[in-house]
Amino acid sequence: VLSACVQEFGLGPKCLLAQLVVCRGLLGFGIGGEYPLSATICAEGTAPRRRGTLMALVFSHQGLGYLLSALVMVTLTFAGAS
């Protein structure tokens, strides 16, 4: 976000919006590949008796991350951050 704010090239908010959309798309593409990879690495590197527990933790913490990110956003919004 900071690099997009600095590099608007004098074009104003339209350029900023385009940069944020492109960067968000790249981030989404990378994270979309990382989620299954983290589960695969976790499953392959764990002893068979603990594999189920560790896989459940991997997927439950992804949901916990979604929840915490929403709570941080709501907290910052109510605190007056723009």
Side-chain angles (χ1 to χ4, degrees), residues 16-80:
L16 176 64
L17 180 61
Q19 285 182 351
L20 289 175
V21 166
V22 168
C23 290
R24 182 68 179 176
L26 289 173
L27 178 69
F29 185 74
I31 292 297
E34 194 274 331
Y35 280 169
L37 185 62
S38 66
T40 303
I41 290 172
C42 180
E44 289 179 354
T46 307
R49 65 176 171 46
R50 297 201 61 218
R51 189 170 292 154
T53 304
L54 212 51
M55 292 297 293
L57 283 173
V58 166
F59 289 112
S60 67
H61 281 94
Q62 288 176 4
L64 183 63
Y66 287 142
L67 177 66
L68 288 176
S69 67
L71 289 175
V72 166
M73 189 267 319
V74 168
T75 303
L76 289 174
T77 301
F78 284 128

